[in-house]
Amino acid sequence: MAQTGDDQPQEFPAQQQEPPGLTDEMQPVPDHGERSYQGHGRLAGLKALITGGDSGIGRAIAIAYAREGADVAISYLPEEKPDGEATAALVAEAGQRCVSLPADLTEHRACVDLMETAVGELGGLDILVNNAGYQMARSTGIEEISPEQLDRVMRTNLYALFWLTQAAVRHLKPGSCIINNSSIQAYDPSVSLLDYAATKAAINNFTVNLAAELGPRNIRVNAVAPGPIWTPLQPATQPVEKVKAFGQDTPLGRAGQPAEVAPAFVFLASPAEASYVSGTVLGVTGGKPVF
Ligand code: NAD
Ligand code: MG
């Protein structure tokens, strides 16, 4: 079982990291379903690319997909190699192939190259999970968001997602799918995440619109909108006071674990279970509304 309210700490220990953040430096280390996720062959024989698959929600998706029978390619930033290797080992433990692809996806060429390598190494592609993302919380006004920060947020969250999807589409056959990682921030934006929240609203719009375009080819496009999830992104980009109380403002009163988000990505990827599900955004928010 994934952790639930009873065994979850109410407050996280004070901690900070530099982006992108590493798993082993977190207290507590997140639950990615290592001990709990049980596969049932839902993705048997499929091939998935998960960006940001080294850590957090991406690692939990990689574990779940592998235990459901999929081969997996993961991308991550070169400095996240220790996390990438740990995820790759977990996929291998599940008896599936893991292709590790370090790359900075803020450049168009890197996205095109990543897709070509992933498809070549996996021998095709059935599932694209656009999961990589970046944010940096700020305490100052909109005037203080630097062009560099705005550029990094837009490039990581939107441009890379767009470029990877463009590069993927010609490889995707009928029955395949794209799943984007959105956020509760698309619906209930925090002032401190003005730029990031805007990218997540755009991802929702992109998701429904692309679902309309690709529906006639029987390619499904969906998104998951997580609430506050305990991942390296948080201590690396939020002030320490926010980290300590992280997730307490949800109806369930706590942050979620990556292991609690991955099943939504499994459902949406499953050709049998989600065969008629496209153009939707599935909330995994601890009770906050997604409308
Ligand atoms: P995470 O830090 O574990 O994962 C984010 C990953 O994005 C990193 O591991 C990194 O590999 C990748 N990434 C960042 N910049 C990149 C770049 N320039 N090039 C290539 N890869 C890059 O954190 P996470 O919380 O699991 O984040 C995964 C997704 O979940 C993100 O899209 C995030 O916006 C979304 N999300 C997270 C939360 C949360 O509370 N943690 C809530 C809603 C949505
Ligand atoms: Mg990481």
Side-chain angles (χ1 to χ4, degrees):
M1 283 288 289
Q3 287 179 311
T4 55
D6 290 342
D7 56 1
Q8 192 87 351
Q10 285 305 296
E11 191 149 285
F12 291 102
Q15 57 196 291
Q16 292 277 261
Q17 292 194 42
E18 290 298 313
L22 288 173
T23 304
D24 285 349
E25 291 176 24
M26 294 179 72
Q27 296 179 340
V29 169
D31 177 5
H32 309 94
E34 290 91 338
R35 288 200 297 266
S36 56
Y37 193 89
Q38 292 186 11
H40 294 89
R42 289 182 179 95
L43 308 179
L46 300 183
K47 304 164 198 306
L49 169 61
I50 305 163
T51 63
D54 60 306
S55 59
I57 297 167
R59 181 185 290 185
I61 298 168
I63 293 170
Y65 278 15
R67 293 187 187 176
E68 295 289 357
D71 284 338
V72 170
I74 58 170
S75 85
Y76 47 85
L77 286 164
E79 59 263 42
E80 297 176 298
K81 191 169 177 227
D83 274 351
E85 288 177 347
T87 301
L90 287 156
V91 170
E93 264 174 46
Q96 297 299 137
R97 185 131 187 265
C98 186
V99 180
S100 296
L101 302 168
D104 182 342
L105 300 178
T106 54
E107 295 298 330
H108 177 253
R109 187 75 248 166
C111 292
V112 171
D113 289 348
L114 179 81
M115 186 56 63
E116 290 314 301
T117 312
V119 170
E121 293 280 325
L122 288 172
L125 188 71
D126 303 292
I127 307 161
L128 169 62
V129 180
N130 285 311
N131 168 70
Y134 177 70
Q135 65 177 25
M136 182 52 73
R138 76 201 154 87
S139 53
T140 51
I142 182 174
E143 311 94 302
E144 305 302 324
I145 299 178
S146 69
E148 292 75 21
Q149 167 165 335
L150 189 61
D151 201 43
R152 182 168 174 181
V153 170
M154 294 291 157
R155 281 177 175 269
T156 310
N157 299 2
L158 275 184
Y159 283 33
L161 176 144
F162 212 105
W163 290 328
L164 286 164
T165 303
Q166 283 181 313
V169 158
R170 70 190 180 89
H171 299 289
L172 295 176
K173 299 195 170 57
S176 59
C177 69
I178 298 167
I179 310 172
N180 300 319
N181 206 335
S182 176
S183 172
I184 185 66
Q185 290 292 323
Y187 304 90
D188 184 16
S190 302
V191 169
S192 62
L193 295 172
L194 186 74
D195 46 356
Y196 171 86
T199 67
K200 295 301 183 176
I203 287 170
N204 285 357
N205 181 284
F206 174 88
T207 299
V208 297
N209 205 352
L210 190 67
E213 177 173 333
L214 298 182
R217 293 170 55 181
N218 193 23
I219 298 170
R220 299 176 300 103
V221 186
N222 292 291
V224 174
I229 309 299
W230 186 237
T231 70
L233 186 68
Q234 300 305 333
T237 65
Q238 296 277 10
V240 72
E241 287 312 313
K242 177 83 192 204
V243 171
K244 281 166 67 181
F246 188 58
Q248 288 179 13
D249 61 343
T250 60
L252 290 181
R254 64 177 180 87
Q257 294 292 329
E260 297 177 287
V261 186
F265 284 87
V266 172
F267 166 66
L268 292 172
S270 167
E273 289 168 345
S275 54
Y276 202 56
V277 181
S278 192
T280 202
V281 184
L282 181 49
V284 185
T285 62
K288 285 204 173 187
V290 284
F291 52 76

